[in-house]
Amino acid sequence: MSSVQPFGLSDDERRPPSSDLLEVVQRGLGAKPKRLPSWLFYDERGSALFERICEQPEYYLTRCEIALMDEHAASIADELGSGVRLVEYGSGNAHKTRMLLEHLRAPVAYVPVEISPEPLRRSVERLAAAFPQLPLQPLCADFSKPLRLPIPPRAPRRTVLYFPGSTIGNFENREAAVLLRKMRNEMGDAGGILIGVDLKKDPALIEAAYNDRAGVTAEFTLNMLARLNREIGSNFELSAFAHRAHYNPMAGRIETHLVSRREQQVKVGRANVKFRADEAIQVEYSCKYSLEDFTALAARAGLAVKRVWTDPQRMFSVQYLVRAGAAAR
Ligand code: AVI
């Protein structure tokens, strides 16, 4: 018998109607400077391109995190203890999740939380085959909003929120603190957060990761415009925009832009949006942290870093956070 429970929400409830999407885009392009939210990257093609980015030789993040999980999954599982309910924010990381689940002692349930129904369904299908005894409780929802977690099949000793991939880096500092605080509420007193955090390092290595030679990241960035053309009927000419990703050392983050190659006008709904030559739309931040930076961010959210696993070159880290004050217990 399958132990997979039904999805929390239907597709229609979640998807922003295209009129809302148009509004988001018009507001972003009306701002000074122009900006568009990075969640717009992840339509079906964008998600597939992101998977290809993870395989690029320059994109060290995925490789480093997998190597860390490979080496330390047993000690991570020890730290988490038995009877864990594992809630994953995003479900595109089946590989790392598997490594963790293989080592967890008597997990109570696995709850992947994912906004896109198809990737969620696929990852659940794969995990159900690999862990037939484990109750799976997929939740189709936006993890940045307050969640109503499904009732677990038995009382867990603790709820651990798993947030791999350094996705926390895609939130600006203040938003990241808000998200961590929300996670703190969701995990409860005895809970924890297992989180992948990309670390500050030689800016040339970081920049290369976001400017791969095969051009997959550029394709990923430009795909946002293709998505908008299809979904809101805009007429962005893709060849008239370029991908640009620079490391801002003061802010400690990659800042990704779509840059207009010439002066032009683009139709977005009823509006005509004007672009100067070289004018940029800011589309993503990928924040990088020192261990100290991240400890300070966690503290702002009422959390303490209980344990850190990192590689000898300090490229990437996996960190275990608990409620501040609980770390010593
Ligand atoms: C999902 N996120 C952590 C990726 C990152 O590194 O910021 C998204 C990405 N954008 C360009 N390359 C990868």
Side-chain angles (χ1 to χ4, degrees):
M1 201 189 80
S2 158
S3 52
V4 180
Q5 291 186 3
F7 291 75
L9 291 168
S10 77
D11 300 2
D12 292 342
E13 280 173 282
R14 279 182 329 92
R15 263 168 214 260
S18 54
S19 60
D20 286 3
L21 190 60
L22 178 61
E23 210 183 297
V24 166
V25 174
Q26 284 182 328
R27 205 177 323 122
L29 295 180
K32 282 189 185 131
K34 295 181 170 65
R35 60 180 303 171
L36 289 171
S38 61
W39 57 261
L40 283 171
F41 284 137
Y42 299 95
D43 64 351
E44 207 175 324
R45 179 149 182 272
S47 301
L49 283 167
F50 176 62
E51 282 185 24
R52 278 181 55 206
I53 289 176
C54 295
E55 292 161 6
Q56 297 310 302
E58 298 92 341
Y59 196 74
Y60 60 84
L61 289 80
T62 313
R63 238 185 358 266
C64 287
E65 190 173 24
I66 289 177
L68 280 176
M69 294 305 286
D70 203 24
E71 192 174 341
H72 300 292
S75 82
I76 294 173
D78 267 359
E79 181 68 54
L80 271 44
S82 62
V84 161
R85 164 168 68 162
L86 190 70
V87 179
E88 181 167 353
Y89 275 32
S91 67
N93 297 285
H95 195 68
K96 297 163 213 161
T97 312
R98 252 171 211 241
M99 290 174 166
L100 188 57
L101 287 173
E102 270 162 17
H103 287 86
L104 280 183
R105 261 176 296 133
V108 167
Y110 171 61
V111 184
V113 182
E114 167 67 57
I115 196 162
S116 315
E118 240 345 274
L120 180 60
R121 203 163 283 139
R122 278 198 297 266
S123 86
V124 163
E125 234 173 64
R126 282 195 299 260
L127 277 171
F131 302 94
Q133 306 300 331
L134 176 69
L136 302 178
Q137 300 185 300
L139 182 63
C140 198
D142 177 352
F143 65 66
S144 67
K145 306 267 158 62
L147 297 176
R148 285 239 309 269
L149 295 176
I151 296 167
R154 62 190 164 89
R157 281 193 55 232
R158 66 167 46 99
T159 295
V160 173
L161 308 182
Y162 183 36
F163 195 25
S166 200
T167 303
I168 190 71
N170 297 133
F171 293 80
E172 284 185 65
N173 229 265
R174 201 158 45 88
E175 291 171 14
V178 170
L179 177 59
L180 288 172
R181 166 100 31 203
K182 183 197 84 94
M183 293 172 82
R184 181 184 184 275
N185 293 336
E186 273 155 15
M187 76 197 197
D189 282 343
I193 300 173
L194 185 68
I195 187 164
V197 182
D198 194 18
L199 300 177
K200 284 181 174 158
K201 59 184 70 61
D202 178 357
L205 284 177
I206 303 180
E207 276 197 352
Y210 294 84
N211 291 282
D212 62 281
R213 292 186 63 174
V216 183
T217 308
E219 217 180 316
F220 171 77
T221 307
L222 283 159
N223 178 61
M224 187 189 279
L225 301 182
R227 174 192 186 163
L228 296 183
N229 286 349
R230 190 181 62 248
E231 292 189 21
I232 61 170
S234 52
N235 68 348
F236 285 99
E237 207 181 297
L238 269 59
S239 60
F241 286 86
H243 156 87
R244 185 179 73 198
H246 278 324
Y247 186 68
N248 174 341
M250 292 300 287
R253 65 190 180 204
I254 284 284
E255 298 180 348
T256 301
H257 292 93
L258 278 159
V259 184
S260 176
R261 292 180 187 272
R262 52 174 159 80
E263 192 179 312
Q264 58 181 316
Q265 285 197 28
V266 178
K267 234 176 136 35
V268 180
R270 285 158 173 254
N272 265 322
V273 182
K274 290 195 172 83
F275 288 88
R276 287 174 273 110
D278 292 325
E279 187 174 356
I281 314 170
Q282 191 268 312
V283 287
E284 188 181 54
Y285 290 142
S286 300
C287 301
K288 311 300 169 190
Y289 294 94
S290 67
L291 293 179
E292 298 72 33
D293 294 339
F294 199 75
T295 299
L297 174 65
R300 280 176 65 191
L303 294 161
V305 177
K306 186 154 187 230
R307 207 102 180 239
V308 177
W309 294 267
T310 184
D311 48 285
Q313 287 82 33
R314 296 225 161 167
M315 296 284 280
F316 198 90
S317 65
V318 174
Q319 309 201 18
Y320 186 54
L321 317 179
V322 294
R323 288 192 170 188
R329 273 176 233 152

